[in-house]
Amino acid sequence: MFWKFDLHTSSHLEALLDKEDVTLIELMDEEDVLQECKAQNRRLLLFLCQDQCMQDLVRMITTEPPAGVEETKRFKYPNIACELLTCDVGVINDKLGNEEPLLETLYAFLEQPSPLNPLLASFFSKTIGNLITRKTEQVISFLRRKEGFLSLVLKHIDTSAMMDVLLRLISCVEPPPLRLETLTWLNDQKLAQRLIELIHPERDEEQSNASQTLCDIIRLSRDQANQLQEMSQPDPLLTVLESQECVEQLLQNMFSGERTESCIVNGIQVLLTLLEIRRPVFLLCFLYVLNVLDVYTVNSSILLAIQPHLIHFHQLLLEPPKRDPMLTTLGVLEEPLGNTRLHVARLVASLLYTSSASHAVVAQELCRLNTMDLLLDLFFKYTWNNFLHLQVELCVAAILRPSTSENSAHNLMVTHLFQHCHLVQRILEAWEENDKMQSEGGMRRGYMGHLTRIANTVVHNLEKGPVHTQISSLITELPEDYRGRWETFVDQTLSETNRKNTIDLVGTGNPRPSSEDDMESPFPKELTIQQAFSDYQIQQMTANFVDQFGFNDEEFTDHDDSIGAAGTTFKLPTCFLQANTAVFEACSKERIQPFDDDEEDIWEEKEINYATQTKSRNR
């Protein structure tokens, strides 16, 4: 009966290995060659680890295949060769990592002229990356003897695979002393400075990958610095990247010569990464605590380097690089906002969220330039650009929700926002204009959702928070007309809008808040429809996570320890878990009916009727 499934008791590959003149190509044509290699087939590994076979495999992944072959088949053998070399078999790793002639053949790929074949570059990157992980000391020693190694990698940085090679050297070298030694070597080779040199208006092709590499280096270095507390010395690459001199060099490159969008955007990406203070943690994501941990403190040298160039960023908001008119679903946009101005808005929002000794000089300069007023102008001008609306909303939230009321820089920004940017007046006038337009049959303006959240942020921080007294005083100082309109707006218009935007989750088991403080819980009784659905999804993922790692419900619901940041504590309510569990169980009861399985049991012994089988074949 087994022949019905074409099950073979012996492998074609074994038969080939019995041949005296079997070739590497013949073996690579076998479908199960990779599987047998991973299964540590002794005869196959002995064949593959011959000097000539290993040389042939390395040449396949580093040499351009012959032209004229069908494109789908040109890279068949290089792909298989790469898989064989990186299948993490000890004898192959030992052979490739310990034999210098093989490493020389592999290294020769970098000495080819640009541009590299991106597919071959990915094969090279995967192979050298595997060796860095598995044969670390041998490969690092080999690369350090090559004086031009880093120059060659940076020469080909426009090929994304070269980024991976650098990142492997930074993140995959163990143990920690060897990692520090490798980082010191890369720093002595001026890796950070040479990458920054590539972010220049005259270096179009390399800019994007150089910027991404710098961002990845910063994040990896910070993460590993947190994990490897036993390191006696700070990460030399991160120290250089966070230095005032290095940031100033980046900014000088961005604003030298003709200001191109690609150079400015790529440079801002690096600055945004340097200013990152919050990173999500995997476990906390499942507990509704995304981005609430202040993991890093921004180095003051970064802010000191940026402050003199804020005037250049402000000028970019006024006069960005020229863009052609853009056809949109609402007509032709003669002057698109552009990626440059959007990234400047992101940078301002990030600067406002930083808390550092040097934050005051940044806040003072932003107030002097009146940058927030300009961003609010753009907010209302570009009615349908929600990417911009979000960044301006974040700016307002950062100003109105400082971590402490003693921060004079924040106090200055709060006053500036109400007195010079006329935030309350802008909210009222924009809302009234939108209501008038809608009453005349027009469309609701695209920024109204974000404007609602900005208004709610003002109201919330007017009632409580570190600067609520200051905000209250500033609103009291408004002209009488605006003050009266604001009170009516808050009590009636905004309240009604919030009511329409929320639903009462009947039967969820969520208790009503017993006090005003309970409203600060991340699980209020009234939730938006989107939030309700999102909460249910995350709760289910939490349950799966708990099941997978063997935790029990008490560890998440009844434990006394709370999770929070900046003075905020919260705990996942038992009632919320129970309510969503009930919903999930109710949905689970609607089971899919099984298919009617009338197929014959192929294992059941039956009388064979050849006449019937013949008729069946002839149909």
Side-chain angles (χ1 to χ4, degrees):
M1 282 178 281
F2 291 100
W3 58 84
K4 183 174 181 179
F5 303 97
D6 195 28
L7 299 176
H8 299 284
T9 56
S10 61
S11 169
H12 291 298
L13 190 139
E14 290 292 337
L16 284 174
L17 290 170
D18 288 335
K19 292 173 55 179
E20 292 185 3
D21 57 348
V22 64
T23 65
L24 177 61
I25 295 297
E26 286 181 295
L27 292 173
M28 294 175 73
D29 281 330
E30 288 298 313
E31 292 183 359
D32 59 346
V33 63
L34 182 59
Q35 180 180 345
E36 289 292 318
C37 186
K38 291 180 178 179
Q40 309 266 349
N41 183 313
R42 181 174 173 277
R43 296 179 66 198
L44 176 61
L45 293 178
L46 285 173
F47 183 90
L48 292 177
C49 288
Q50 296 178 76
D51 291 343
Q52 188 58 50
C53 284
M54 289 296 292
Q55 280 286 354
D56 290 344
L57 289 172
V58 174
R59 286 198 185 95
M60 285 181 191
I61 67 170
T62 57
T63 307
E64 194 77 24
V69 182
E70 186 180 345
E71 195 63 28
T72 56
K73 297 180 179 179
R74 279 189 73 206
F75 294 95
K76 172 186 173 182
Y77 296 116
N79 181 53
I80 297 173
C82 177
E83 292 299 319
L84 290 171
L85 291 172
T86 61
C87 64
D88 204 17
V89 173
V91 290
I92 294 179
N93 290 338
D94 291 342
K95 183 73 175 179
L96 188 55
N98 295 331
E99 298 284 340
E100 191 144 324
L102 292 174
L103 290 175
E104 290 286 357
T105 304
L106 187 63
Y107 182 83
F109 178 76
L110 291 174
E111 298 172 334
Q112 299 182 34
S114 294
L116 297 176
N117 182 300
L119 191 54
L120 291 181
S122 70
F123 296 153
F124 167 84
S125 173
K126 185 176 181 180
T127 305
I128 197 75
N130 180 67
L131 289 176
I132 290 171
T133 304
R134 301 302 178 191
K135 305 296 292 182
T136 309
E137 292 187 16
Q138 295 90 328
V139 174
I140 295 297
S141 175
F142 173 81
L143 294 178
R144 291 186 64 174
R145 294 198 300 271
K146 298 290 184 180
E147 293 184 4
F149 166 69
L150 196 57
S151 298
L152 289 173
V153 171
L154 294 177
K155 172 186 173 183
H156 301 302
I157 198 68
D158 56 322
T159 304
S160 298
M162 294 301 106
M163 298 166 49
D164 299 333
V165 174
L166 289 176
L167 296 178
R168 284 275 187 172
L169 287 169
I170 291 167
S171 63
C172 296
V173 175
E174 296 291 345
L178 181 58
R179 176 179 177 272
L180 182 59
E181 186 180 327
T182 303
L183 293 175
T184 303
W185 163 56
L186 292 173
N187 189 50
D188 291 341
Q189 297 288 312
K190 307 291 184 184
L191 173 61
Q193 295 90 329
R194 292 164 78 172
L195 284 169
I196 285 174
E197 287 174 6
L198 297 177
I199 304 177
H200 194 280
E202 298 177 358
R203 308 292 295 267
D204 262 348
E205 295 181 0
E206 302 100 328
Q207 282 179 25
S208 178
N209 284 352
S211 171
Q212 186 60 54
T213 303
L214 285 168
C215 293
D216 290 339
I217 290 173
I218 294 166
R219 293 190 180 107
L220 285 169
S221 298
R222 285 175 171 173
D223 288 345
Q224 292 195 337
N226 281 347
Q227 295 168 10
L228 304 177
Q229 300 294 337
E230 67 271 20
M231 288 184 64
S232 57
Q233 301 178 32
D235 187 312
L237 283 178
L238 183 60
T239 301
V240 168
L241 283 169
E242 290 184 334
S243 67
Q244 186 170 345
E245 296 77 15
C246 202
V247 178
E248 284 176 349
Q249 184 59 54
L250 172 64
L251 289 160
Q252 287 172 12
N253 289 357
M254 291 166 59
F255 295 110
S256 65
E258 182 183 358
R259 298 181 182 180
T260 63
E261 181 167 273
S262 61
C263 181
I264 292 167
V265 167
N266 286 315
I268 290 178
Q269 290 280 14
V270 178
L271 295 176
L272 289 172
T273 307
L274 286 169
L275 293 171
E276 277 182 359
I277 58 173
R278 297 178 179 183
R279 296 290 303 279
V281 177
F282 178 74
L283 176 58
L284 297 185
C285 291
F286 289 108
L287 297 181
Y288 301 78
V289 196
L290 275 173
N291 288 330
V292 298
L293 296 181
D294 290 349
V295 182
Y296 310 116
T297 301
V298 174
N299 195 317
S300 295
S301 60
I302 300 170
L303 298 176
L304 290 173
I306 292 175
Q307 187 266 337
H309 293 273
L310 287 175
I311 187 171
H312 298 137
F313 290 114
H314 183 88
Q315 194 63 30
L316 285 172
L317 292 175
L318 292 169
E319 299 176 6
K322 269 295 184 185
R323 294 179 63 90
D324 296 330
M326 179 185 295
L327 180 62
T328 71
T329 54
L330 294 169
V332 176
L333 190 60
E334 293 294 338
E335 185 187 356
L337 176 76
N339 208 11
T340 297
R341 287 196 282 192
L342 178 60
H343 272 75
V344 171
R346 290 183 63 194
L347 179 62
V348 173
S350 188
L351 287 168
L352 290 172
Y353 268 103
T354 60
S355 55
S356 167
S358 301
H359 178 71
V361 296
V362 172
Q364 290 168 2
E365 184 68 2
L366 289 174
C367 290
R368 187 187 73 80
L369 294 170
N370 213 14
T371 302
M372 270 307 303
D373 193 50
L374 180 52
L375 284 173
L376 286 167
D377 286 341
L378 296 173
F379 179 97
F380 294 109
K381 177 180 178 180
Y382 291 93
T383 309
W384 307 105
N385 196 318
N386 289 152
F387 297 106
L388 172 66
H389 301 156
L390 173 61
Q391 298 307 319
V392 176
E393 180 194 334
L394 291 175
C395 289
V396 174
I399 294 170
L400 297 182
R401 289 199 293 248
S403 57
T404 171
S405 60
E406 299 177 358
N407 192 322
S408 60
H410 270 120
N411 294 341
L412 174 66
M413 291 296 297
V414 171
T415 301
H416 178 79
L417 189 61
F418 283 91
Q419 290 187 346
H420 297 277
C421 302
H422 308 292
L423 179 63
V424 169
Q425 294 92 320
R426 285 176 182 265
I427 292 172
L428 293 173
E429 290 167 1
W431 205 289
E432 290 164 3
E433 288 175 10
N434 178 75
D435 287 347
K436 181 182 178 182
M437 181 177 293
Q438 284 192 278
S439 66
E440 296 172 353
M443 294 176 62
R444 182 174 184 265
R445 294 186 172 180
Y447 52 65
M448 289 304 296
H450 290 281
L451 192 64
T452 302
R453 298 208 301 202
I454 290 174
N456 280 320
T457 300
V458 174
V459 172
H460 176 81
N461 289 278
L462 175 62
E463 296 172 350
K464 59 174 63 179
V467 292
H468 72 97
T469 304
Q470 184 183 3
I471 296 175
S472 177
S473 174
L474 290 167
I475 289 183
T476 304
E477 295 171 4
L478 290 172
E480 185 176 349
D481 176 42
Y482 279 108
R483 191 167 63 249
R485 286 161 62 188
W486 173 255
E487 291 173 357
T488 304
F489 168 76
V490 172
D491 294 338
Q492 299 177 16
T493 308
L494 184 60
S495 178
E496 177 63 15
T497 300
N498 289 336
R499 187 191 67 79
K500 289 179 179 178
N501 288 340
T502 59
I503 63 168
D504 194 4
L505 297 181
V506 180
T508 60
N510 285 354
R512 284 199 176 275
S514 58
S515 67
E516 187 180 6
D517 290 336
D518 289 339
M519 292 300 291
E520 292 305 301
S521 166
F523 311 100
K525 186 172 191 296
E526 290 186 342
L527 298 171
T528 64
I529 297 174
Q530 181 181 4
Q531 184 64 40
F533 179 69
S534 175
D535 287 348
Y536 175 73
Q537 284 185 312
I538 297 178
Q539 193 271 333
Q540 298 310 319
M541 290 191 290
T542 306
N544 293 337
F545 178 80
V546 172
D547 291 341
Q548 181 180 353
F549 289 94
F551 296 114
N552 54 54
D553 289 345
E554 287 77 10
E555 292 183 58
F556 287 91
T557 57
D558 298 331
H559 201 278
D560 290 336
D561 292 342
S562 300
I563 300 170
T568 302
T569 60
F570 36 143
K571 184 169 63 175
L572 197 62
T574 305
C575 61
F576 187 80
L577 288 173
Q578 292 171 344
N580 280 322
T581 301
V583 175
F584 177 75
E585 290 176 352
C587 295
S588 298
K589 290 180 180 178
E590 300 178 5
R591 299 181 184 278
I592 300 174
Q593 294 299 321
F595 292 108
D596 292 333
D597 190 0
D598 293 332
E599 295 181 4
E600 64 174 326
D601 185 352
I602 57 176
W603 303 109
E604 181 182 354
E605 293 190 10
K606 295 181 179 180
E607 181 181 355
I608 301 176
N609 188 325
Y610 293 98
T612 304
Q613 289 188 354
T614 304
K615 282 183 181 180
S616 176
R617 284 196 296 267
N618 291 335
R619 284 177 184 173

